Amino acid sequence: MVVIKRFNSTVSKLPTISSTLILSRNPIITRELPAFEQQYYNYQNELWKRLMWTFPKWYYYRDGTLGDQRFKELNKPPVFNNPKLEYTEGRPDIKQLRDRRFKQVINLPKSYKQAEDGSEIVDEEIQDNLSRKINPNSRITKADESKDLSSLERQLSKTLYLIINENGWKLPTFKSDTQTPLHKVAEEGLFNIGGEEINYFNVSSKPCHHIKGSDQIEFFIKSHILSGSFKPKNLKFLWVTKDELSEYLNEDYYKQIKHLLNE
Amino acid sequence: MFKQFVRFKSISNTNASTQKVVNQLSALSASRKQPKLIKLSAQDLIKHQTIQNAWKLYSDKLARENRKMLKEQYESIYNAMEELKQFPELFEAAKDDVKAPFPLEMRIPTDFPPNQPWIYNYEK
């Protein structure tokens, strides 16, 4: 009798569970360096240049060649150490055409045509040429400029997280039975609301966190979206960074999951 | 009589291939290429040490935050798994972690974005 009573009590107490998906888009470009880091790296870089060996010019530009001539036009020799002169800023210490007291600045001949002001002269014939000037793409995309929060191409230097609007903004949450593994529930739920054209990588089948309510438990599953897009029908969704997430989620809820998220 | 001036003495007993190796070694060797040592004044030394100390404090702080976050994440996983023990089937499924192959599409962040930042046309 006692045994049955205990059995019944445990059954009635068994909480309902749900599986919440933390779907993230990893950063595509490197993070923005804080001012202090930037200054420190700059300082170290200058020290490194100051302590660098002299460029062996004779090896790369042999005397009397055209390349040597172009190199000499770009790089004027340092001030000659004349023993009969006094120098106000210290006597030059020249070896191998370098003043050993300072860092060596070398200007190399450009592989592309350059106008007087330093801008490139675009020659249409050599657009596919390997010697063309390299113009890197902008770190700020169109989605950043138009402030399109539902685009996967925004904030390339930060991790983005998917939130959906179901009676308020929240992470996608799916009801689970006690049979299907949690990561399967999350996967099926994601495909149900967002279409199957999502290439994603499930980090682990283990839940990374749980939040316990009075009669329900919420488990968290981590995943990365790799390609494809989240295309729901009649559902508002956003891709937001960790900082922005704190504005959309409930404050207590955000505090509980803060440590799971990356910048 | 005509007298020939020679600026450099040619190295004797070397053929062309030996000379090539000598040139290559001269490009690699440190002789006559090293800059002067940096001699800092007392004030500059203090400045340098202050910069290094500030960096050490800064990186220590970052490392501490990182360790704290990892510890919290580990405890989160541990607690979640403890909680999951109420549901034996789910617990077993979570324990048998089927290792998915690491995705080749995942890329390392670069300084500048690719021409196409995101690939949309994915089909299963």
Side-chain angles (χ1 to χ4, degrees):
Chain A
M1 196 61 190
V2 175
V3 173
I4 292 166
K5 203 177 175 186
R6 277 175 73 189
F7 179 70
N8 280 341
S9 68
T10 50
V11 165
S12 63
K13 263 187 187 174
L14 211 61
T16 57
I17 50 175
S18 60
S19 174
T20 302
L21 184 65
I22 303 178
L23 188 65
S24 63
R25 189 226 56 187
N26 285 342
I28 290 171
I29 54 176
T30 47
R31 75 204 166 101
E32 304 285 344
L33 289 184
F36 177 64
E37 274 183 44
Q38 221 161 19
Q39 286 163 354
Y40 181 77
Y41 288 140
N42 199 14
Y43 174 67
Q44 288 295 323
N45 208 17
E46 286 299 309
L47 279 181
W48 175 63
K49 280 180 185 166
R50 164 68 178 76
L51 292 172
M52 236 159 51
W53 289 358
T54 307
F55 174 64
K57 183 234 146 196
W58 68 91
Y59 184 72
Y60 293 99
Y61 297 94
R62 214 192 310 167
D63 277 352
T65 55
L66 268 176
D68 178 45
Q69 202 174 327
R70 279 187 218 116
F71 184 85
K72 277 176 182 164
E73 277 167 16
L74 285 171
N75 301 281
K76 298 294 172 217
V79 179
F80 170 59
N81 180 16
N82 190 338
K84 290 176 186 168
L85 287 179
E86 280 297 324
Y87 293 88
T88 50
E89 290 175 2
R91 188 163 285 283
D93 180 5
I94 300 205
K95 243 172 213 172
Q96 312 272 29
L97 288 177
R98 180 221 180 146
D99 196 336
R100 289 169 70 229
R101 298 172 301 160
F102 307 120
K103 72 169 181 182
Q104 190 183 20
V105 181
I106 294 172
N107 300 310
L108 293 178
K110 296 277 184 292
S111 58
Y112 50 90
K113 285 180 194 165
Q114 209 173 19
E116 292 281 314
D117 62 340
S119 64
E120 189 195 8
I121 297 172
V122 179
D123 190 352
E124 286 185 3
E125 283 179 16
I126 58 158
Q127 272 309 291
D128 293 331
N129 199 333
L130 283 177
S131 65
R132 72 184 188 279
K133 193 183 179 187
I134 295 166
N135 295 313
N137 297 326
S138 168
R139 283 172 66 95
I140 294 163
T141 56
K142 279 179 194 165
D144 282 326
E145 282 162 6
S146 61
K147 290 180 182 164
D148 179 10
L149 291 180
S150 60
S151 167
L152 273 162
E153 291 181 10
R154 66 185 293 267
Q155 295 280 4
L156 292 182
S157 61
K158 288 178 178 170
T159 313
L160 296 182
Y161 295 97
L162 175 71
I163 50 171
I164 57 172
N165 195 345
E166 278 177 353
N167 309 320
W169 291 105
K170 60 170 195 171
L171 296 166
T173 306
F174 312 104
K175 283 227 162 59
S176 173
D177 51 28
T178 53
Q179 309 296 321
T180 333
L182 291 168
H183 66 287
K184 290 280 173 207
V185 174
E187 179 189 298
E188 281 163 19
L190 176 70
F191 287 158
N192 278 338
I193 60 169
E196 300 224 337
E197 288 172 7
I198 299 170
N199 183 11
Y200 85 108
F201 174 57
N202 186 236
V203 178
S204 169
S205 56
K206 293 180 179 61
C208 62
H209 189 57
H210 79 288
I211 291 177
K212 204 172 178 183
S214 52
D215 59 344
Q216 51 124 359
I217 310 174
E218 189 177 352
F219 288 101
F220 289 78
I221 294 286
K222 265 188 183 178
S223 277
H224 301 301
I225 182 166
L226 303 168
S227 56
S229 56
F230 182 75
K231 279 182 276 185
K233 294 164 191 162
N234 307 322
L235 184 68
K236 282 184 189 166
F237 70 98
L238 297 177
W239 288 99
V240 290
T241 62
K242 185 183 178 181
D243 293 340
E244 290 161 347
L245 208 57
S246 61
E247 296 165 17
Y248 287 99
L249 297 181
N250 178 5
E251 201 175 317
D252 292 337
Y253 187 84
Y254 175 74
K255 266 184 193 164
Q256 289 189 62
I257 62 162
K258 200 170 64 173
H259 63 285
L260 303 172
L261 312 171
N262 283 327
E263 279 295 319
Chain B
M1 280 297 287
F2 177 75
K3 195 184 173 190
Q4 198 184 358
F5 287 96
V6 182
R7 184 171 285 190
F8 301 110
K9 272 186 184 174
S10 61
I11 302 164
S12 57
N13 301 328
T14 48
N15 54 19
S17 59
T18 317
Q19 189 58 48
K20 199 176 166 187
V21 174
V22 169
N23 277 345
Q24 285 172 349
L25 286 177
S26 81
L28 292 174
S29 84
S31 78
R32 292 166 61 77
K33 283 213 278 302
Q34 282 172 345
K36 255 188 161 175
L37 276 180
I38 301 177
K39 279 182 188 161
L40 294 178
S41 63
Q43 267 191 345
D44 284 349
L45 195 65
I46 290 170
K47 275 185 199 167
H48 176 76
Q49 283 165 351
T50 311
I51 292 170
Q52 295 295 37
N53 286 342
W55 178 256
K56 197 162 174 286
L57 284 178
Y58 177 76
S59 49
D60 276 1
K61 188 184 147 225
L62 287 193
R64 229 179 298 124
E65 280 171 6
N66 197 25
R67 269 200 303 276
K68 186 175 163 247
M69 196 186 74
L70 286 177
K71 197 176 166 230
E72 282 174 355
Q73 287 184 356
Y74 175 78
E75 280 168 3
S76 273
I77 298 172
Y78 185 86
N79 293 338
M81 287 300 277
E82 285 293 312
E83 197 64 44
L84 203 61
K85 278 182 182 168
Q86 294 178 49
F87 314 97
E89 280 162 348
L90 292 186
F91 182 72
E92 287 302 317
K95 224 168 60 173
D96 301 336
D97 206 347
V98 181
K99 287 243 163 62
F102 191 80
L104 296 175
E105 298 92 330
M106 205 174 249
R107 63 194 296 285
I108 296 167
T110 47
D111 279 349
F112 296 99
N115 292 337
Q116 214 187 350
W118 191 255
I119 298 161
Y120 288 100
N121 56 347
Y122 171 76
E123 278 175 25
K124 246 188 172 181

